[in-house]
Amino acid sequence: MCNITTKDEFEKHIKRILITEQEIQEAVIKAGAEISKEYEGKPILLVSILKGSFVFLSDLCRAITLPCEMDFMIAKSYYNSTESSGEVKILMDLEHDISQYHVIIVEDIVDTGQTLSKLVPMLKERNPLSVSVVTLLDKPSRRTAPFNPDKTLFTIPDHFVIGYGLDCSEYYRNLPYIAEYNAEV
Ligand code: PRP
């Protein structure tokens, strides 16, 4: 869909800003403070599902005032949109043995719910102290698998969104805000 070689082409696909940099930063500070209160005295492992969550993780971890460790995972869901069931493959696994940690999965977006509805039970089989999910964005209208994140910073309608880690063909992850992608230019 994207084939971008110039700054003009890059900018013309940014239709409108949906969530500003300031709105994101305020919500991240609030989420970090809540997590810091909820997990005080507990060993925390922040698990970032790559690639989309790397920007959110880097801001969220600095808004958490408790000692915490971080780990990274690549998981992809493969499914036919006409089927309700799908498959999640772990393409890069965690380094940590998570059995001694309260795991907080950090996601950029929950869309169909396919990825996390499979990944959370897979991680629970490793007997962590607990598992919860914090997501920057949630698109509940797109759900094909039952899944509710524990903490959502922004609930959004069904727009194709880019920025703050979210991509179109790997571009736009570096935008500091969330924007709607314009495919019609
Ligand atoms: C996105 C996002 C979630 C997943 C959510 O990742 O980061 O992991 O999709 O979608 P779902 O709820 O429909 O399962 P994506 O596969 O786009 O990879 P990326 O993070 O590397 O961009």
Side-chain angles (χ1 to χ4, degrees), residues 48-56 107-108 164-167 173:
S48 162
I49 312 299
L50 296 172
K51 301 176 193 171
S53 67
F54 78 98
V55 181
F56 180 35
E107 260 292 21
D108 52 322
Y164 200 73
L166 290 105
D167 73 312
R173 295 192 197 273

Side-chain angles (χ1 to χ4, degrees), residues 49-53 75-77 79 107-116 142 165-167 170 173:
I49 312 299
L50 296 172
K51 301 176 193 171
S53 67
K76 293 281 176 200
S77 59
Y79 63 95
E107 260 292 21
D108 52 322
I109 188 165
V110 180
D111 188 1
T112 65
Q114 293 287 341
T115 307
L116 287 177
R142 290 259 307 159
L166 290 105
D167 73 312
E170 299 297 329
R173 295 192 197 273

Side-chain angles (χ1 to χ4, degrees), residues 67 129 165:
L129 298 174

